[in-house]
Amino acid sequence: MQIRYLILFFISIMLTNLNCKNAKNETPGKGVSFALNEYRKKTIDSIHYAIELEIPSQKIQAIEGKQLITFNLKSLDSALVMDFSTDSAHVHAVKSAGKEISYDFINEHIVIKTDQLVKGKNEIEIIFTAGDLSLNRNEEYLYTLFVPDRASTCFPLFDQPNLKASYSLTLKTPKHWEAVSNGILKEKTSTGDQNIYHFEKTKPISSYLFAFAVGKFFKTEKIVDNRAMTMYYRETDSVKVKRNSDEVFNLHAKSLTWLEDYTAIKYPFGKFDFVLIPSFQYGGMEHPGSIFYNESSLFLDENAPINRKLARASVIAHESAHMWFGDLVTMDWFNDVWLKEVFANFMAAKIVHPSFPEINHDLRFLLAHYPGAYEVDRSSGTNPILQKLGNLKNAGTLYGGIIYQKAPIVMRQLEKKIGENLMRESLREYLKSFSFSNAKWDDLIGIIDNKSPEDITTWSNVWVKTPGMPEYEFVGNKDEIQIQQKKDSLSGRIWQQPVVTIWKEMFAQGSIRINLNNKPQNVRKPDLPAMVFPNSNGQGYGYFKMDSVSEDYFLKNYNSAKDTMLIDPVFRGAMLVNIWEGFLRGDGAAPEHFISILIDILPKENNALISDNLLGNLQTTWWTFLTESQRSQYQEKIEKVLWTLLETTTDKGMKNSYFRVFKNIAMTDDGLSKVESLWNEKLKVKDLILSEDDKITLAYELILKQKGDGKAIFEKQLNDTKNPDRKSRMKFVIPALSPDQNVRDAFFESLKRPENREHEAWVLEALGYLHHPLRAKNANKYLKPSLDLLQEVQLTGDIFFPQRWLSATFSGHSDLESANIASSFLKANPDYPYYLKNKILQSTDMLDRAVKLKK
């Protein structure tokens, strides 16, 4: 098996080398091919961009720019290809030594022939109109988001991660606008109705990490532990800002100090600012010197659950870790994008955990990563952690659950395999060796392999370079019970990993740790038939099928103090993950029985992390796997259970969790009356504090479920909403909630225009209501057009948008007609792009399973 992988690997290297040789004289296609990437990496270095942009006050006005690009050219055997993903009309002049030179504009590239260049130092001046695609322009502010290859949609450059460059930026903005970028602010001047911001030259960074934001921002400056930081934000609720501000600064300072100690490298990028942006597409983005965050992730509501506080600390630690892992050392090509993400997560966990001693972090890791990773890995659209990438224009499709959920599991296994000290030693060498440069996963594996007696390369080839997940089953009789890996989809593949299993007999119980391979191994030789609880510490990865006797015992005695293993929250979490996997694969209870199980055990659970997991599974089962008649059967019971838990829990965070699920599920007259009374403040629940966002979603539920006069509800909520950004979002979303089918149809039609998809968070929220299970039958007609739009969505949207577009579109559907639309689309498009095909298969996997389980 390993020989086969090596043969394929060497063939791919040979083909790559051939492509690189041919890249010199070929007409460039759209995007950045791997061949072009490799050729430019070998022939260009010492790049500096001096960029000047004039930002008008009106969103509809163009942004004019000019830049001076300085670089060293090692060879004159091919034309120079620069990336500018707009059209030729955006280029006004190309100059060298002050004189205009000839150029061609081909497939979104500026191509300059060798007779206009010199070997050695070159200076090219370009006057241009900036492209808007990645400028995220609003009436009062704009911000850039250039990951993975979107810098070229704004200005001309060499847009690939292994051509690091320094940037000097000048921004001319409206008079009362703030501006922030990667570099230190060198000078701010004012003239007429403009501010002019001059930023100092940055350290070498990859193009996707260059960033700036301008607009009407508030700002707070602070010095924490002798480190100056500035926070820019839009939130108008001064009480909320004051409540959160100190903690946000302190979390950043703590993260940076910890990382300096762990890596033995001081913070590499000088100044440290961060910008909080409403409806930002991600939790955060790691621009060195100017991190961007989703504002709601950092400014938490009062009585935020511990999970939200932990998530805030984690995202801050994650983005701070990127300053070293991703920014200081960057992947050579975007197929290794997972590497920066996994180390940011890996470091964040180490940074954050000691500050939350009340949290069981093994349990949180289990519930935060395994279900999400399984969601992709169980689908027919799964992919390896390390994926192939032929052109940078497809890099955004690499992101997903495998990178963010599975990769951290694999990295934790690696650290356990080699030990914490060796991991830290190897990472320090990795960072030191490749500082301000680029590296590959195999570079790190080589460092570790040289230090460890383990065969890390063979282990990596399976876990990192092949897709899917192992499946395990228990076999045996009264004499012995064995665990074995089921026959794998790839011949001879062995998923090496240790797994702990608890066995239980009538008068005894115990546990055994097994290093799994592809051979059956004994768990226990019992005198009497035993129950077996596989992967009992939740650290093994795969599908561990449970037998019905063991599963029944676990559920009937759930969280019972009479059995010590049942009061261990990690054990409970691990078994619930096993049972959920079994349910989704058709190996467990039927949906109508399974919802009854969830309703029964939810009040018995006292751990907030597990309760949140149960609530998530309950909502998925409720809306996806139950028929309308089955929901009617359980409607009163589930509302009663949730409302009782909402009223009686003393955990203020869980009170908010129960509230959110109750308003989502409520359908009876009594339930909707409670939702209405919470919204108009006629009903108060002790310690339940509703934010402006909560009030908006309550209004949406009332409009969706036609409780009261929808128009009047919307107008009242719009008047009551103080924040202007939330008002704008409401105005966008409300047509998707309309009871009038024609209005909803017109709204969907509007999404076919790229300019109406600019606010991606707004679009996703609206799609969730447009395709809500209560509206799903009338929304089936949107499915095929949504699939038809997917390639355009990928080209015009940010990295997570294609997957989220699909998820928001299909998550409300669970019938055969919907499943057939998706499968027919794929059959009708056999040559559909591989990465996007996988996204469709991933997003419709739950739909397909629902159809099967409903039969």
Side-chain angles (χ1 to χ4, degrees):
M1 184 270 307
Q2 299 301 333
I3 292 174
R4 185 182 71 176
Y5 289 149
L6 288 173
I7 291 172
L8 292 172
F9 176 74
F10 285 121
I11 289 174
S12 69
I13 291 295
M14 291 170 63
L15 291 173
T16 295
N17 288 335
L18 286 172
N19 286 337
C20 289
K21 291 176 182 176
N22 293 336
K24 293 187 294 183
N25 300 312
E26 289 183 352
T27 299
K30 288 186 177 183
V32 177
S33 69
F34 183 70
L36 177 60
N37 163 81
E38 290 294 281
Y39 178 73
R40 292 196 304 200
K41 181 176 71 170
K42 292 176 182 178
T43 57
I44 302 170
D45 61 22
S46 306
I47 306 168
H48 174 68
Y49 300 101
I51 305 170
E52 182 178 309
L53 297 171
E54 185 161 353
I55 314 293
S57 59
Q58 298 297 313
K59 177 183 174 182
I60 59 172
Q61 294 177 283
I63 295 175
E64 301 300 335
K66 64 180 179 180
Q67 63 176 333
L68 183 66
I69 309 166
T70 309
F71 57 94
N72 180 61
L73 194 58
K74 300 177 184 177
S75 172
L76 289 175
D77 62 351
S78 180
L80 182 76
V81 178
M82 299 187 66
D83 314 318
F84 194 28
S85 301
T86 56
D87 56 57
S88 59
H90 281 71
V91 184
H92 305 310
V94 179
K95 300 179 181 181
S96 179
K99 296 181 179 180
E100 289 200 27
I101 61 174
S102 62
Y103 66 92
D104 295 312
F105 194 90
I106 303 172
N107 289 327
E108 301 178 348
H109 298 283
I110 297 173
V111 180
I112 302 174
K113 294 178 181 178
T114 54
D115 59 2
Q116 307 286 349
L117 304 165
V118 297
K119 191 173 181 179
K121 183 178 179 180
N122 287 262
E123 289 187 348
I124 302 294
E125 183 182 357
I126 302 177
I127 301 171
F128 63 96
T129 298
D132 275 351
L133 184 60
S134 296
L135 286 181
N136 298 280
R137 298 181 71 176
N138 297 267
E139 294 299 335
E140 294 187 339
Y141 65 98
L142 71 79
Y143 61 92
T144 62
L145 199 49
F146 291 152
V147 61
D149 64 333
R150 300 302 177 87
S152 61
T153 67
C154 180
F155 61 94
L157 78 165
F158 306 109
D159 201 1
Q160 60 190 65
N162 54 22
L163 285 182
K164 290 194 170 183
S166 56
Y167 294 79
S168 299
L169 177 66
T170 298
L171 292 174
K172 296 180 179 180
T173 77
K175 186 78 170 182
H176 300 294
W177 285 24
E178 297 286 348
V180 58
S181 187
N182 308 89
I184 297 170
L185 181 61
K186 182 179 181 180
E187 182 184 33
K188 176 186 175 182
T189 59
S190 297
T191 175
D193 58 354
Q194 278 188 331
N195 287 334
I196 303 174
Y197 294 86
H198 298 280
F199 295 95
E200 290 185 5
K201 180 178 177 181
T202 69
K203 294 285 183 69
I205 58 175
S206 295
S207 53
Y208 77 91
L209 293 169
F210 174 62
F212 58 88
V214 298
K216 294 181 180 179
F217 287 96
F218 303 105
K219 73 176 183 179
T220 300
E221 298 173 295
K222 241 187 157 182
I223 297 176
V224 185
D225 296 336
N226 296 317
R227 197 186 306 273
M229 293 181 274
T230 303
M231 176 176 70
Y232 297 81
Y233 58 94
R234 291 271 303 165
E235 177 59 64
T236 54
D237 184 342
S238 59
V239 175
K240 176 183 276 192
V241 173
K242 185 176 181 180
R243 185 172 64 242
N244 287 279
S245 186
D246 285 348
E247 184 67 3
V248 168
F249 277 100
N250 291 335
L251 286 169
H252 279 101
K254 181 177 180 179
S255 295
L256 294 172
T257 299
W258 188 96
L259 285 156
E260 288 177 334
D261 177 67
Y262 185 92
T263 64
I265 297 173
K266 289 291 184 183
Y267 172 66
F269 295 104
K271 69 105 170 180
F272 191 85
D273 298 337
F274 44 96
V275 186
L276 280 56
I277 299 169
S279 300
F280 187 61
Q281 290 92 320
Y282 321 148
M285 180 59 208
E286 67 268 18
H287 312 120
S290 183
I291 300 174
F292 293 175
Y293 290 104
N294 186 310
E295 194 167 60
S296 64
S297 298
L298 269 59
F299 286 164
L300 303 184
D301 295 327
E302 196 171 353
N303 286 348
I306 190 66
N307 254 346
R308 291 292 309 278
K309 294 177 181 178
L310 183 57
R312 174 176 65 182
S314 296
V315 74
I316 287 173
H318 177 106
E319 303 307 332
S320 299
H322 270 314
M323 301 300 109
W324 286 260
F325 297 95
D327 295 1
L328 178 63
V329 178
T330 311
M331 67 273 162
D332 187 74
W333 182 238
F334 251 92
N335 64 329
D336 264 323
V337 63
W338 74 278
L339 186 55
K340 74 182 183 73
E341 297 303 329
V342 74
F343 276 119
N345 274 337
F346 187 68
M347 294 299 135
K350 291 179 178 292
I351 295 166
V352 168
H353 289 182
S355 299
F356 291 83
E358 69 274 33
I359 292 286
N360 186 316
H361 293 289
D362 286 335
L363 174 65
R364 182 177 185 266
F365 187 90
L366 167 70
L367 297 179
H369 292 92
Y370 285 73
Y374 292 164
E375 185 174 333
V376 180
D377 249 355
R378 81 170 79 93
S379 78
S380 55
T382 188
N383 55 264
I385 293 174
L386 178 58
Q387 302 178 67
K388 296 178 182 178
L389 180 64
N391 193 303
L392 201 58
K393 67 185 176 69
N394 296 319
T397 62
L398 302 183
Y399 288 80
I402 295 299
I403 284 180
Y404 287 98
Q405 273 79 49
K406 183 178 181 179
I409 296 168
V410 173
M411 193 57 65
R412 187 172 72 163
Q413 287 195 8
L414 176 60
E415 185 181 56
K416 289 182 179 295
K417 195 175 184 70
I418 67 174
E420 290 185 15
N421 291 335
L422 182 55
M423 177 66 90
R424 181 173 181 170
E425 181 185 333
S426 300
L427 289 177
R428 283 184 170 183
E429 181 176 333
Y430 167 80
L431 291 171
K432 184 177 180 181
S433 300
F434 298 100
S435 284
F436 294 108
S437 186
N438 303 81
K440 303 174 183 177
W441 166 247
D442 287 341
D443 293 324
L444 177 59
I445 288 298
I447 291 172
I448 296 173
D449 247 344
N450 287 335
K451 299 175 182 290
S452 172
E454 300 279 353
D455 182 2
I456 304 302
T457 299
T458 299
W459 171 88
S460 169
N461 284 341
V462 171
W463 283 97
V464 175
K465 298 183 179 181
T466 67
M469 59 194 287
E471 297 183 26
Y472 300 98
E473 61 183 354
F474 289 88
V475 296
N477 50 45
K478 65 179 181 179
D479 297 319
E480 64 181 3
I481 296 176
Q482 295 180 319
I483 185 172
Q484 66 181 21
Q485 178 184 311
K486 293 180 69 175
K487 187 176 180 180
D488 199 272
S489 58
L490 293 178
S491 177
R493 180 170 57 171
I494 303 170
W495 300 87
Q496 300 176 36
Q497 63 174 325
V499 169
V500 175
T501 295
I502 289 178
W503 55 265
K504 182 177 180 63
E505 299 172 10
M506 186 176 294
F507 300 110
Q509 72 180 47
S511 66
I512 182 169
R513 179 185 174 90
I514 301 171
N515 287 311
L516 291 175
N517 51 41
N518 62 339
K519 297 178 181 179
Q521 297 188 55
N522 286 336
V523 175
R524 174 72 169 152
K525 290 186 176 181
D527 297 323
L528 295 170
M531 289 178 286
V532 179
F533 301 95
N535 196 26
S536 51
N537 66 351
Q539 294 184 11
Y541 185 82
Y543 173 43
F544 298 88
K545 184 178 179 179
M546 290 184 68
D547 66 272
S548 59
V549 174
S550 303
E551 184 174 323
D552 287 345
Y553 176 85
F554 171 77
L555 294 171
K556 288 177 181 176
N557 297 278
Y558 190 83
N559 208 3
S560 171
K562 296 178 181 178
D563 192 330
T564 54
M565 70 177 181
L566 294 175
I567 60 174
D568 174 9
V570 175
F571 174 79
R572 291 199 309 279
M575 292 309 102
L576 288 171
V577 170
N578 288 345
I579 291 169
W580 179 245
E581 275 301 298
F583 167 70
L584 294 176
R585 292 167 183 264
D587 293 334
E592 63 269 27
H593 182 214
F594 193 70
I595 196 70
S596 180
I597 290 171
L598 293 173
I599 294 171
D600 179 59
I601 65 177
L602 183 62
K604 299 176 184 177
E605 185 51 67
N606 53 18
N607 183 285
L609 297 176
I610 298 178
S611 293
D612 275 336
N613 178 259
L614 286 170
L615 288 169
N617 291 346
L618 185 145
Q619 289 179 93
T620 300
T621 305
W622 184 257
W623 289 116
T624 303
F625 291 96
L626 295 187
T627 64
E628 186 176 347
S629 62
Q630 288 169 341
R631 288 200 298 268
S632 296
Q633 181 183 347
Y634 287 97
Q635 188 73 53
E636 289 188 11
K637 181 177 181 181
I638 196 170
E639 288 182 17
K640 182 178 179 181
V641 168
L642 289 169
W643 188 258
T644 300
L645 290 169
L646 165 61
E647 285 194 307
T648 59
T649 183
T650 56
D651 184 322
K652 296 178 181 178
M654 280 311 304
K655 194 175 287 286
N656 278 280
S657 296
Y658 292 133
F659 155 73
R660 290 186 172 92
V661 180
F662 178 83
K663 69 178 171 61
N664 173 266
I665 283 178
M667 284 295 294
T668 66
D669 288 341
D670 179 66
L672 290 176
S673 292
K674 286 185 170 73
V675 170
E676 184 178 34
S677 297
L678 287 169
W679 173 70
N680 61 27
E681 299 184 358
K682 292 180 180 178
L683 174 63
K684 298 282 188 181
V685 176
K686 184 182 178 183
D687 293 328
L688 178 65
I689 300 172
L690 300 180
S691 67
E692 195 167 75
D693 280 322
D694 289 328
K695 291 291 188 68
I696 291 169
T697 57
L698 281 169
Y700 287 170
E701 289 293 330
L702 294 171
I703 296 168
L704 173 72
K705 296 167 184 176
Q706 299 186 50
K707 174 68 173 176
D709 183 339
K711 184 178 180 181
I713 291 170
F714 170 69
E715 289 178 352
K716 179 181 185 305
Q717 185 57 56
L718 191 65
N719 289 332
D720 290 347
T721 300
K722 306 303 180 188
N723 184 280
D725 298 317
R726 283 192 277 271
K727 279 181 178 285
S728 297
R729 183 168 178 161
M730 281 185 69
K731 291 174 183 177
F732 180 88
V733 170
I734 199 64
L737 282 156
S738 175
D740 187 332
Q741 182 72 53
N742 292 327
V743 174
R744 301 202 300 273
D745 289 348
F747 174 77
F748 178 77
E749 285 298 313
S750 74
L751 296 181
K752 293 180 180 180
R753 297 191 294 276
E755 62 269 23
N756 292 328
R757 302 193 301 266
E758 287 179 355
H759 293 91
E760 294 178 4
W762 300 5
V763 172
L764 295 171
E765 184 175 23
L767 285 176
Y769 289 114
L770 198 68
H771 292 274
H772 190 280
L774 297 175
R775 299 266 179 82
K777 289 182 180 179
N778 293 322
N780 273 342
K781 61 182 177 180
Y782 307 140
L783 297 180
K784 171 66 164 52
S786 295
L787 292 169
D788 291 335
L789 278 168
L790 183 59
Q791 286 183 272
E792 182 184 319
V793 165
Q794 189 239 321
L795 291 173
T796 59
D798 286 300
I799 55 177
F800 298 115
F801 196 41
Q803 181 74 74
R804 290 172 176 173
W805 169 272
L806 289 168
S807 296
T809 296
F810 282 98
S811 61
H813 295 268
S814 59
D815 65 346
L816 182 60
E817 181 185 353
S818 305
N820 285 341
I821 291 170
S823 61
S824 296
F825 177 84
L826 292 176
K827 288 177 183 177
N829 296 276
D831 298 322
Y832 199 70
Y834 167 78
Y835 298 107
L836 292 180
K837 176 184 176 182
N838 275 358
K839 298 296 184 189
I840 295 171
L841 292 171
Q842 292 167 22
S843 299
T844 57
D845 181 71
M846 199 69 81
L847 163 60
D848 292 336
R849 293 178 187 277
V851 171
K852 291 176 183 177
L853 287 178
K854 284 180 176 180
K855 286 183 177 178

